[in-house]
Amino acid sequence: MNNESSPTPINEADKASPRLAAGAPAGRVIAVRGAVVDVAFYGVTLPLIDESLAIIADEGPPIIAEVQAHLDENTVRALALQSTNGLRRGAPVRASGGPIRVPVGEAMLGRLIDVTGTPGDRGDPLPADVPLRPIHRAAPPLSSQGAATEIFSTGIKVIDLLTPLAQGGKAAMFGGAGVGKTVLVMELIHAMVERYQGISVFAGVGERSREGHEMLLDMRNSGVLPRTVLVYGQMNEPPGARWRVPLTALTVAEYFRDERHQNVLLLMDNIFRFVQAGAEVSGLLGRLPSRVGYQPTLASEVAALQERIVSVGNVSVTAIEAVYVPADDFTDPAVTTIAAHVDSMVVLSREMAAEGMYPAIDPIASSSVLLDPLVVGAEHAQVATEVRRTIEHYRELQDVISLLGVEELGADDRRIVGRARRLQRFLTQPFAVTEAFTGVPGRSVAVADTLAGCKAILAGDCDTWQESSLYMVGTLDEARERENAPHEATPSAPAHAAQGATL
């Protein structure tokens, strides 16, 4: 049946139908336009905004929808979170009396669920006594929130040095298509599970089915799954499902934080798809677009999600979010709106990816509010500042080098260029999640080793070394061993292109 249907008034027989009596469905579908469904209620109070509705379809389970607008005293406009194929006018509707409620708790560990909490991993049914929580709730009051100042060590050199993450903070990986955001998020999952015995919640927002399947298999094979909850709203699902998936994942995380008093790592890939789904929903509801075609409610929608990701007391929700940057335009309204809420900005560079510098994190554009002597210590802040200054000076000279050659530079500039190039290579490292593609085991490096290596390069201890000796290594000691064994094969940039081959 074609879903593009015009509104049809409910006749008196429908109003008096026994199916609309007390305890039965309280409304009727009067129009269906794709994912947007108009529902009429007579003789009852209209359901509130964000309240969930169950639309009784002729076949299959009820379709879950969410109220988005009141059209008049009898009619609401709702957004279906599941496919409306085959839905007819006149279908009965039951109001739930509250927002969508999803299962939470220990029973969810190791499971893959959708936006409504329905398992999608072909596992056992959820227990009947599993607790349920609404996906819409206010952020904790400011008086109960804790400050995020404890460093969250990742074992990734360039992140720990230049953009340290905070436990209980929010970090975002910004990058265009194909520069390595998903690979970086997967490596962070791998690193966090090994270092921190907490709960992980992964939200796949607008992900490809292939990526979700690969992540599920990887987690099963690595033994990570028993401490993880996977929540997916895939690309092929209606925009409402992709729009609400982050809230479902956050609700699961909040339960462990507030009621189990456990630290939670919340990973979201890709949060831009959440904004994109919101823009689709806004268009379906007939709202006028705002800047660059985004929804007029962009700032409030992002804030409603981000402001719930906080520490409460001694327990925290730490968020790491991948953010797609459309057309590599970092002035895009979605990108700037998300960036306003994060503590650490990890910016991935297409130019560095093209040179094989993986992870392709731009040391100049990336930043963190935690890179402060009072938080990381004076030595760390000083080394990070000197690394940035050296690489920035090298970039300023690149046009001159391209035109005249490095030989035309003065002695001081040549020395800085050499050290900057060695620093760039030292800040690369192989990942555990790409070992199957590159054949090189992943490296996890302590912050002290990273600082020691960078200080040695800045001091000139490695000025006579081959640059390739520092490429794709862990600590400086490993690079020294490679330098002292000149006939040992060193990895080349193309061999590590797999680290940036995924969005």
Side-chain angles (χ1 to χ4, degrees):
M1 173 178 186
N2 189 350
N3 283 342
E4 291 291 341
S5 50
S6 57
T8 299
I10 294 179
N11 57 34
E12 295 302 318
D14 280 335
K15 293 183 194 178
S17 168
R19 296 191 66 185
L20 296 178
R28 297 275 183 179
V29 172
I30 61 172
V32 183
R33 300 179 189 85
V36 176
V37 181
D38 291 348
V39 182
F41 292 84
Y42 290 93
V44 294
T45 303
L46 286 182
L48 302 176
I49 302 297
D50 289 338
E51 187 170 326
S52 68
L53 308 176
I55 305 172
I56 313 302
D58 292 337
E59 297 179 1
I63 297 169
I64 304 300
E66 197 176 71
V67 176
Q68 295 298 319
H70 290 174
L71 300 183
D72 55 42
E73 64 273 14
N74 295 319
T75 313
V76 300
R77 179 158 288 168
L79 180 72
L81 304 190
Q82 294 148 337
S83 173
T84 57
N85 285 340
L87 184 62
R88 61 176 177 83
R89 292 196 299 265
V93 179
R94 180 183 292 113
S96 69
I100 294 170
R101 293 162 64 84
V102 296
V104 296
E106 301 288 338
M108 306 310 297
L109 293 174
R111 304 303 300 269
L112 185 151
I113 61 173
D114 65 10
V115 65
T116 61
T118 305
D121 53 6
R122 300 181 183 176
D124 296 332
L126 297 175
D129 60 348
V130 64
L132 301 175
R133 294 293 182 272
I135 66 171
H136 294 285
R137 59 179 291 188
L142 192 62
S143 59
S144 69
Q145 296 181 19
T149 57
E150 185 178 344
I151 297 300
F152 205 70
S153 179
T154 66
I156 299 174
K157 290 182 288 189
V158 65
I159 291 180
D160 289 341
L161 175 67
L162 300 175
T163 62
L165 310 186
Q167 185 160 330
K170 295 184 282 285
M173 317 293 172
F174 294 90
V179 294
K181 294 186 300 300
T182 296
V183 171
L184 190 55
V185 169
M186 289 176 67
E187 181 69 12
L188 285 168
I189 293 174
H190 186 273
M192 297 311 166
V193 171
E194 286 189 349
R195 289 165 176 260
Y196 301 95
Q197 298 303 312
I199 301 297
S200 297
V201 179
F202 180 84
V205 187
E207 288 286 88
R208 304 170 181 86
S209 300
R210 169 186 60 79
E211 290 175 338
H213 183 67
E214 287 177 356
M215 180 158 288
L216 183 60
L217 288 178
D218 287 344
M219 288 189 169
R220 277 181 177 155
N221 295 336
S222 61
V224 172
L225 196 58
R227 306 289 294 169
T228 305
V229 184
L230 301 176
V231 188
Y232 269 87
Q234 295 176 171
M235 274 185 175
N236 61 337
E237 295 189 54
R242 289 178 270 124
W243 192 38
R244 291 311 191 200
V245 150
L247 299 185
T248 299
L250 186 53
T251 302
V252 174
E254 286 173 332
Y255 176 84
F256 287 108
R257 179 194 67 192
D258 298 336
E259 301 188 37
R260 297 290 182 178
H261 303 291
Q262 293 175 287
N263 291 329
V264 184
L265 177 64
L266 176 64
L267 301 117
M268 292 190 277
D269 186 10
N270 187 300
I271 204 67
F272 175 79
R273 307 294 180 199
F274 159 74
V275 173
Q276 197 174 41
E280 292 179 49
V281 168
S282 182
L284 289 170
L285 295 174
R287 296 173 184 156
L288 289 174
S290 182
R291 193 159 54 111
V292 197
Y294 285 106
Q295 62 270 41
T297 53
L298 171 64
S300 59
E301 287 176 11
V302 172
L305 173 67
Q306 301 285 356
E307 293 304 307
R308 287 169 61 180
I309 306 173
V310 293
S311 300
V312 177
N314 296 323
V315 289
S316 62
V317 173
T318 304
I320 296 175
E321 309 166 7
V323 184
Y324 168 68
V325 180
D328 291 343
D329 179 11
F330 285 87
T331 64
D332 186 87
V335 176
T336 56
T337 303
I338 295 168
H341 290 273
V342 300
D343 305 310
S344 302
M345 282 184 59
V346 180
V347 179
L348 288 100
S349 161
R350 190 170 303 281
E351 290 75 16
M352 292 188 67
E355 294 173 8
M357 300 296 168
Y358 291 109
I361 295 172
D362 190 327
I364 308 303
S366 301
S367 62
S368 172
V369 297
L370 297 172
L371 195 59
D372 185 294
L374 297 177
V375 178
V376 298
E379 182 190 32
H380 186 149
Q382 182 181 356
V383 171
T385 301
E386 191 61 32
V387 167
R388 277 211 176 103
R389 183 183 294 119
T390 302
I391 294 175
E392 178 67 19
H393 190 70
Y394 167 50
R395 290 188 177 180
E396 291 172 356
L397 295 171
Q398 279 185 322
D399 286 344
V400 176
I401 295 170
S402 298
L403 291 171
L404 304 176
V406 72
E407 296 80 9
E408 297 300 318
L409 299 176
D412 288 344
D413 284 343
R414 282 203 304 273
R415 184 169 57 251
I416 289 174
V417 166
R419 290 175 185 175
R421 289 177 61 86
R422 286 169 175 80
L423 282 170
Q424 284 185 333
R425 280 149 183 77
F426 179 66
L427 292 177
T428 63
Q429 73 188 82
F431 282 173
V433 295
T434 60
E435 184 176 343
F437 305 102
T438 64
V440 180
R443 305 287 197 278
S444 180
V445 184
V447 178
D449 291 333
T450 301
L451 291 175
C454 291
K455 285 177 68 176
I457 295 171
L458 290 168
D461 295 352
C462 307
D463 284 357
T464 59
W465 291 17
Q466 295 283 338
E467 291 180 5
S468 58
S469 298
L470 294 156
Y471 179 71
M472 286 294 169
V473 297
T475 64
L476 194 67
D477 289 338
E478 184 182 343
R480 184 177 288 108
E481 291 174 8
R482 185 184 289 176
E483 175 68 18
N484 294 332
H487 298 295
E488 180 183 348
T490 55
S492 59
H496 289 266
Q499 291 196 199
T502 310
L503 283 179

